[in-house]
Amino acid sequence: NEDSKDLTLFPLPPTSNPPTSVLEVDKKTPDAHVPRDPRLIRLTGVHPFNVEAPLSALYNEGFLTTPELFYVRNHGPVPLVEDEDIPTWEFTVEGLVENPITISLKELIEDYEQLTAPITLVCAGNRRKEQNVVRKTKGFSWGAAGVSTALWTGCLMSEVIRRAKPIRRARYVCMEGADKLPNGYYGTSVKLNWVMDPNRGIMLAHKMNGEMLRPDHGKPLRAVIPGQIGGRSVKWLKKLILTDQPSDNWYHIYDNRVLPTMVSPEESASNPSWWKDDRYAIYGLSTNSAIAYPAHEEQLCIVGAPQKYRVKGYAYGGDGRRVTRVEVSIDKGKTWRLSNIDYAEDRYREGYEQNLYGGSLDVPWRESSFCWCFWAIDIPVEELKGAKDILVRAMDESMNIQPRDLYWSVLGMMNNPWYRITISHENDYLRFEHPTQPALIPGGWMERVKKSGGNLMNGYWGERIDGVEPEAP
Amino acid sequence: NEDSKDLTLFPLPPTSNPPTSVLEVDKKTPDAHVPRDPRLIRLTGVHPFNVEAPLSALYNEGFLTTPELFYVRNHGPVPLVEDEDIPTWEFTVEGLVENPITISLKELIEDYEQLTAPITLVCAGNRRKEQNVVRKTKGFSWGAAGVSTALWTGCLMSEVIRRAKPIRRARYVCMEGADKLPNGYYGTSVKLNWVMDPNRGIMLAHKMNGEMLRPDHGKPLRAVIPGQIGGRSVKWLKKLILTDQPSDNWYHIYDNRVLPTMVSPEESASNPSWWKDDRYAIYGLSTNSAIAYPAHEEQLCIVGAPQKYRVKGYAYGGDGRRVTRVEVSIDKGKTWRLSNIDYAEDRYREGYEQNLYGGSLDVPWRESSFCWCFWAIDIPVEELKGAKDILVRAMDESMNIQPRDLYWSVLGMMNNPWYRITISHENDYLRFEHPTQPALIPGGWMERVKKSGGNLMNGYWGERIDGVEPEAP
């Protein structure tokens, strides 16, 4: 019986403890107006603010992330927007439209249908530290926590664009934020075709988990582009410009691209045509997964341990594609075990037309998967004792599977090889190591292998193959 | 200047020499009414007719394939449809619709807008022989020529469905053919949502390269589902049935699925629940590529050879995603070279609103890539002399890259690891070997490696790694 379903089965956000004071470290920066959570790991020094949560803390919050632990990618100073100025925050829809319009946030909320949807955002640089250990890229070192999920409230971007009446020649929607940077305001574009496609759910959001956006997340208005890299979800949104060409914004051209692997930093600098080839711009996320537990440097006492240990983590697909399986290996990929997957996103599909945070829950009719999922598998401790590592790989509904091999590129993005943690047996303990630690934090098996001369790109994580000696460095 | 573009730049089909007589081998089968090309390689004995062209012959035809060399996947006898009965061929739109309708082919052509588009079809089993060498699957042995491209003429499936007025509960379009099989008529389903999405270009086609469909290709009417596995493009189409559940047709449940790799034939037979999990059904193609030249057993005389050899082949993505790069390695994946790519499909985008074969060329406005592309790279013969193999991998616009590792599954489908050919140096010749040959044809490096005890799944094609001995079998 449809009516008897409990409509509150879907996850609600974990308790948030919004930071109220500005951290000492931020006080001498342009962001001295932004209270922040001290647990966040800074990836680019003090400023600009680019952070991820410790992986365990992120995972422990569950399917939805609090705004204070949600990853942040800022290119420069956070625009200061006073609360009293929020209703009159204006943005424009211009360019190849018949009817250019200026809309205030107040109008956006009053005149357009509001909806709420859970959407995972992922930085294209998620897991980049692994690439940086192999060979330094131009990007800073994300660990595996450059991914977070929230309930976003706002309207469909297509609705405002429809009112502006795009002309036939319009093919792209360029977005521009209020964050002024050395190379102009941050901006990028997506295809108009995608924006107008209801299945893609591209939003203009003003709430995150039911509260007004916080400064680091785009207060008071941002784009949210589900299934695509975070860099397309422009924060502090001021302009939508319809064009017949992709954005010519500096950040659109010189960021968020995966050049072919053989293009060196020198070649990319001396030959700008690499950056102008639109095929190398990235939009949809690639399939990815990571292990949250065992955590890095977790130790499992095998004396009196329970029979089984639960290995668990997250996975996500791109462009709305569902993760259809997550497989785990403890014998270097010779054999794989099927993990259980919890698709928390699916539980919102039951909440048809329910209102949440002032928007209707816009999930039930959708057939796309725009959120991460959590996977878990119990492995007998006896078997872990005999294993050297744990590997995980996810596959999406188009059979896109995470590969064994890391794809290095000059900007270091979309890193998604099998996630591997190593197991070492020390006295009565199993000790686990993740591949890396974020930012400049030392640790992880990759640094260790590299230091000892292993070739991390040899298809076997720089280690020996079944009793034979490793290749010389 | 838009107007000065030469609108005939797009490829037209190669000259077809339609077979006119029934082959001796077919005369005692239910297909004794179907003339066929003797060059086709039969993959399932004499009958049913499942064939691919020799890879070189397929590649040599170019971007478009003649109907006589276009791969065929038949589950049983080909329905006999006389030419005079074609106009009155009827199909129905029924199920969860307000207005069930019956449409004749004559009405379909007269009452619905006709369009023509180049679309590549690919059998989900393309390259399965490689999987079968690793470990026998339940599927027969396709080589790498289970892929072909034609210009299809017909109407959008969405148009006929719109006239039938789907009711709100409808979510799937089940299709049924006229081919009666041991387990009923062949049938399958796709999402209604996809059918109604103009970007997906799902068609009802009655012409192939400008001529009426030939019997093996669905005469007189078939579905054409771009970007998805061939098994969804139902031939000899009789019924479109709208439902709230995926098709319960036997062939939908027990075919065209990729079960997790650890599910053995025995397990899949004894536990039917594996077949009922919709996550394992496959729709969109995975990214794939193959080398056409050097051909299998091609020999290159290195005495007086030109300085460079042109390595070339095909690549395709799934669900309309463009292949954004093709990379070639001659050092076992340590380094990669960027190949040139010819996107012949893009040349049709210039032919806006041109009429072709009685349909308007419905490509220009589309931003999806529904066709294979051809790649080529010149490699100095001096370098080939020092190489042991040639590897190729493609990546699509969502960064889905072909993996090093073969994913074995019980039905053996969607095989897409790096395509590898080996090079052996014999006197004054370089001799090239493809991984396999289709059907039961012997040959290829995989059989050779397997016979010599190599473990094909060791991440190094069963061979030694840089001077160390291979793992014992």
Side-chain angles (χ1 to χ4, degrees):
Chain A
N1 184 317
E2 284 286 314
D3 298 327
S4 69
K5 277 179 187 157
D6 182 349
L7 296 184
T8 62
L9 278 178
F10 52 76
L12 289 171
T15 303
S16 168
N17 295 301
T20 50
S21 59
V22 173
L23 297 175
E24 212 47 54
V25 65
D26 285 320
K27 283 188 177 158
K28 287 192 179 150
T29 77
D31 294 349
H33 57 98
V34 187
R36 285 166 174 157
D37 192 302
R39 288 172 294 174
L40 293 169
I41 300 166
R42 295 190 187 223
L43 308 172
T44 52
V46 171
H47 192 269
F49 190 62
N50 291 296
V51 295
E52 66 181 77
L55 184 56
S56 305
L58 176 74
Y59 183 86
N60 293 350
E61 285 209 324
F63 176 69
L64 296 169
T65 313
T66 57
E68 61 265 29
L69 280 192
F70 202 105
Y71 84 86
V72 179
R73 172 77 180 96
N74 289 345
H75 290 80
V78 174
L80 169 61
V81 182
E82 302 292 353
D83 284 1
E84 61 265 30
D85 295 332
I86 292 180
T88 57
W89 175 273
E90 286 186 335
F91 72 98
T92 56
V93 188
E94 54 187 273
L96 299 178
V97 294
E98 282 178 36
N99 177 34
I101 46 180
T102 301
I103 307 179
S104 71
L105 185 51
K106 185 166 180 292
E107 287 164 351
L108 186 90
I109 295 173
E110 290 174 357
D111 297 356
Y112 292 84
E113 192 187 336
Q114 302 295 300
L115 51 94
T116 296
I119 295 162
T120 296
L121 294 182
V122 185
C123 184
N126 193 32
R127 296 184 59 191
R128 185 192 285 127
K129 175 70 172 275
E130 298 167 49
Q131 293 171 311
N132 278 339
V133 176
V134 167
R135 179 182 175 191
K136 205 167 153 24
T137 74
K138 290 189 179 189
F140 57 85
S141 289
W142 289 97
V147 46
S148 315
T149 304
L151 285 160
W152 303 93
T153 301
C155 72
L156 286 176
M157 190 188 283
S158 58
E159 295 302 310
V160 304
I161 287 179
R162 196 165 284 124
R163 289 208 201 174
K165 296 186 181 165
I167 67 172
R168 186 179 169 140
R169 203 153 50 86
R171 283 186 58 205
Y172 297 88
V173 179
C174 300
M175 296 166 270
E176 203 176 276
D179 44 338
K180 192 153 191 199
L181 307 171
N183 295 294
Y185 293 101
Y186 183 80
T188 182
S189 61
V190 293
K191 288 184 182 174
L192 173 59
N193 185 8
W194 297 343
V195 173
M196 303 314 281
D197 180 353
N199 290 301
R200 288 184 174 263
I202 295 177
M203 292 179 72
L204 297 175
H206 52 85
K207 280 187 189 170
M208 185 178 182
N209 288 353
E211 55 168 279
M212 181 172 71
L213 295 179
R214 294 188 195 166
D216 280 322
H217 299 295
K219 177 182 178 182
L221 183 69
R222 71 176 300 172
V224 174
I225 318 275
Q228 297 194 16
I229 59 164
R232 306 296 171 214
S233 290
V234 175
K235 300 191 283 192
W236 314 294
L237 188 73
K238 287 304 285 179
K239 286 184 184 175
L240 299 176
I241 311 161
L242 277 74
T243 58
D244 58 0
Q245 295 293 326
S247 171
D248 59 3
N249 187 288
W250 192 92
Y251 300 92
H252 185 78
I253 306 290
Y254 295 105
D255 200 357
N256 294 321
R257 294 191 176 233
V258 175
L259 301 192
T261 188
M262 73 294 295
V263 178
S264 65
E266 300 70 34
E267 166 67 13
S268 74
S270 66
N271 190 347
S273 68
W274 288 110
W275 302 98
K276 304 292 167 66
D277 190 328
D278 211 46
R279 292 178 298 173
Y280 307 142
I282 49 178
Y283 295 95
L285 292 161
S286 51
T287 313
N288 213 341
S289 65
I291 298 171
Y293 290 100
H296 180 59
E297 294 193 339
E298 181 173 328
Q299 299 194 41
L300 172 65
C301 180
I302 51 182
V303 180
Q307 276 206 307
K308 292 183 170 184
Y309 181 93
R310 180 160 295 178
V311 177
K312 53 193 185 178
Y314 71 75
Y316 56 82
D319 276 328
R321 289 188 296 276
R322 180 182 291 267
V323 168
T324 56
R325 72 199 72 184
V326 172
E327 298 176 339
V328 171
S329 174
I330 58 170
D331 59 5
K332 297 189 184 295
K334 276 200 202 75
T335 63
W336 296 85
R337 301 157 193 238
L338 192 62
S339 171
N340 289 314
I341 303 178
D342 178 41
Y343 301 96
E345 180 179 10
D346 285 348
R347 297 204 283 281
Y348 296 87
R349 299 186 207 271
E350 312 291 324
Y352 197 65
E353 285 183 353
Q354 194 168 178
N355 192 290
L356 188 64
Y357 307 140
S360 63
L361 203 50
D362 187 54
V363 183
W365 69 273
R366 282 192 198 164
E367 309 193 58
S368 359
S369 294
F370 288 137
C371 295
W372 63 356
C373 56
F374 282 4
W375 56 267
I377 184 171
D378 290 335
I379 299 186
V381 171
E382 272 308 309
E383 296 187 47
L384 285 181
K385 279 163 67 178
K388 299 287 190 203
D389 48 19
I390 307 176
L391 298 165
V392 64
R393 66 180 181 189
M395 183 190 280
D396 78 6
E397 61 183 61
S398 284
M399 292 281 303
N400 299 306
I401 192 168
Q402 290 179 249
R404 177 196 293 258
D405 295 271
L406 182 150
Y407 190 90
W408 188 93
S409 72
V410 67
L411 291 184
M413 295 187 144
M414 305 285 262
N415 188 44
N416 72 336
W418 304 345
Y419 195 89
R420 174 177 184 255
I421 64 177
T422 55
I423 307 174
S424 52
H425 205 129
E426 294 170 6
N427 303 317
D428 291 339
Y429 289 86
L430 298 183
R431 184 169 159 273
F432 302 96
E433 259 186 305
H434 278 233
T436 64
Q437 285 293 280
L440 303 175
I441 303 170
W445 62 262
M446 291 186 78
E447 282 183 359
R448 184 166 46 72
V449 169
K450 190 172 189 180
K451 270 183 204 151
S452 71
N455 169 11
L456 288 166
M457 295 289 275
N458 74 348
Y460 273 92
W461 314 281
E463 301 204 339
R464 64 186 190 137
I465 303 171
D466 295 279
V468 299
E469 288 309 303
E471 175 186 5
Chain B
N1 184 313
E2 284 286 313
D3 298 326
S4 68
K5 278 179 189 160
D6 181 349
L7 296 185
T8 62
L9 279 178
F10 52 77
L12 289 171
T15 305
S16 169
N17 295 301
T20 50
S21 59
V22 173
L23 298 175
E24 212 48 53
V25 65
D26 285 319
K27 284 187 177 160
K28 288 190 180 151
T29 76
D31 294 350
H33 57 98
V34 188
R36 287 167 173 157
D37 192 301
R39 290 172 294 173
L40 293 169
I41 300 165
R42 295 191 189 223
L43 308 172
T44 52
V46 172
H47 193 269
F49 190 61
N50 292 295
V51 295
E52 66 181 76
L55 184 57
S56 305
L58 176 74
Y59 183 86
N60 293 349
E61 286 209 321
F63 176 69
L64 295 170
T65 313
T66 56
E68 60 265 30
L69 280 192
F70 202 104
Y71 84 87
V72 179
R73 172 78 181 96
N74 289 344
H75 290 80
V78 175
L80 169 61
V81 182
E82 302 292 353
D83 286 0
E84 61 266 31
D85 296 330
I86 292 180
T88 57
W89 175 272
E90 286 186 335
F91 73 98
T92 56
V93 188
E94 53 187 272
L96 299 178
V97 295
E98 281 178 37
N99 177 35
I101 47 181
T102 300
I103 307 179
S104 72
L105 186 51
K106 184 166 181 292
E107 287 164 349
L108 186 89
I109 295 171
E110 291 174 356
D111 297 355
Y112 293 84
E113 192 186 336
Q114 301 294 300
L115 51 95
T116 296
I119 294 162
T120 296
L121 294 183
V122 185
C123 184
N126 193 33
R127 297 184 61 191
R128 185 191 284 129
K129 175 71 172 273
E130 298 167 48
Q131 293 171 313
N132 278 339
V133 176
V134 167
R135 181 183 175 190
K136 206 170 153 21
T137 73
K138 290 189 181 189
F140 57 85
S141 289
W142 290 97
V147 46
S148 315
T149 304
L151 285 160
W152 303 94
T153 302
C155 72
L156 287 176
M157 190 188 282
S158 57
E159 296 302 311
V160 303
I161 286 180
R162 195 166 284 123
R163 290 207 201 175
K165 297 189 181 162
I167 65 172
R168 185 177 171 142
R169 202 152 52 85
R171 283 186 59 204
Y172 298 88
V173 179
C174 301
M175 295 166 272
E176 203 176 275
D179 44 338
K180 193 153 191 199
L181 307 171
N183 295 293
Y185 293 102
Y186 183 79
T188 181
S189 61
V190 294
K191 287 183 183 176
L192 174 59
N193 185 7
W194 297 343
V195 174
M196 305 313 282
D197 179 355
N199 290 302
R200 288 184 175 262
I202 295 177
M203 292 178 72
L204 297 176
H206 51 85
K207 280 188 189 170
M208 186 176 180
N209 288 353
E211 54 167 279
M212 180 172 71
L213 294 180
R214 293 189 195 165
D216 279 322
H217 299 296
K219 176 183 179 181
L221 183 69
R222 71 176 299 172
V224 174
I225 318 274
Q228 296 193 17
I229 59 164
R232 307 294 171 215
S233 289
V234 174
K235 300 191 283 192
W236 314 294
L237 188 73
K238 287 304 285 178
K239 285 185 184 176
L240 299 176
I241 311 160
L242 278 74
T243 58
D244 58 359
Q245 296 292 325
S247 170
D248 59 1
N249 186 289
W250 191 93
Y251 299 92
H252 185 79
I253 305 291
Y254 295 104
D255 199 357
N256 293 321
R257 295 193 174 231
V258 175
L259 302 191
T261 189
M262 73 295 296
V263 178
S264 65
E266 300 71 33
E267 167 66 14
S268 74
S270 65
N271 190 348
S273 67
W274 287 110
W275 302 98
K276 305 292 168 66
D277 190 329
D278 211 45
R279 292 179 298 174
Y280 307 141
I282 50 179
Y283 296 94
L285 292 161
S286 50
T287 313
N288 213 341
S289 66
I291 298 171
Y293 291 100
H296 181 60
E297 292 192 340
E298 181 173 328
Q299 299 195 40
L300 173 65
C301 179
I302 52 182
V303 180
Q307 275 206 308
K308 291 183 171 184
Y309 181 94
R310 181 159 295 178
V311 177
K312 53 193 183 177
Y314 71 75
Y316 56 82
D319 276 327
R321 290 186 297 275
R322 179 183 291 267
V323 169
T324 56
R325 71 200 70 185
V326 172
E327 298 176 340
V328 171
S329 174
I330 58 168
D331 60 4
K332 296 189 185 293
K334 275 200 202 76
T335 63
W336 296 86
R337 300 157 193 238
L338 192 61
S339 171
N340 289 314
I341 303 178
D342 177 41
Y343 301 95
E345 179 180 9
D346 285 348
R347 297 204 282 282
Y348 295 87
R349 300 186 207 270
E350 311 292 324
Y352 196 66
E353 285 182 355
Q354 195 167 178
N355 191 290
L356 189 62
Y357 306 138
S360 62
L361 202 49
D362 187 54
V363 184
W365 69 272
R366 281 192 199 164
E367 308 194 57
S368 359
S369 294
F370 288 137
C371 295
W372 64 355
C373 55
F374 282 5
W375 56 267
I377 184 170
D378 289 336
I379 300 186
V381 171
E382 271 309 309
E383 295 187 48
L384 284 182
K385 279 163 67 177
K388 300 286 189 202
D389 48 20
I390 307 176
L391 298 165
V392 63
R393 66 180 182 190
M395 183 189 282
D396 78 6
E397 60 183 62
S398 284
M399 292 281 302
N400 299 307
I401 191 167
Q402 289 179 248
R404 176 195 292 258
D405 296 270
L406 181 151
Y407 190 90
W408 187 94
S409 72
V410 68
L411 290 184
M413 295 187 143
M414 305 285 262
N415 188 43
N416 73 336
W418 304 345
Y419 195 88
R420 174 177 184 255
I421 65 177
T422 55
I423 306 175
S424 52
H425 204 130
E426 293 170 8
N427 304 317
D428 290 339
Y429 289 84
L430 298 183
R431 183 170 160 272
F432 302 95
E433 257 186 306
H434 277 235
T436 63
Q437 285 293 280
L440 304 176
I441 304 170
W445 62 262
M446 290 185 78
E447 281 183 359
R448 184 167 44 73
V449 168
K450 190 171 188 180
K451 271 184 203 148
S452 72
N455 170 11
L456 289 165
M457 295 289 273
N458 75 349
Y460 272 91
W461 313 281
E463 300 203 338
R464 62 184 190 137
I465 302 172
D466 295 280
V468 298
E469 290 308 304
E471 175 185 4

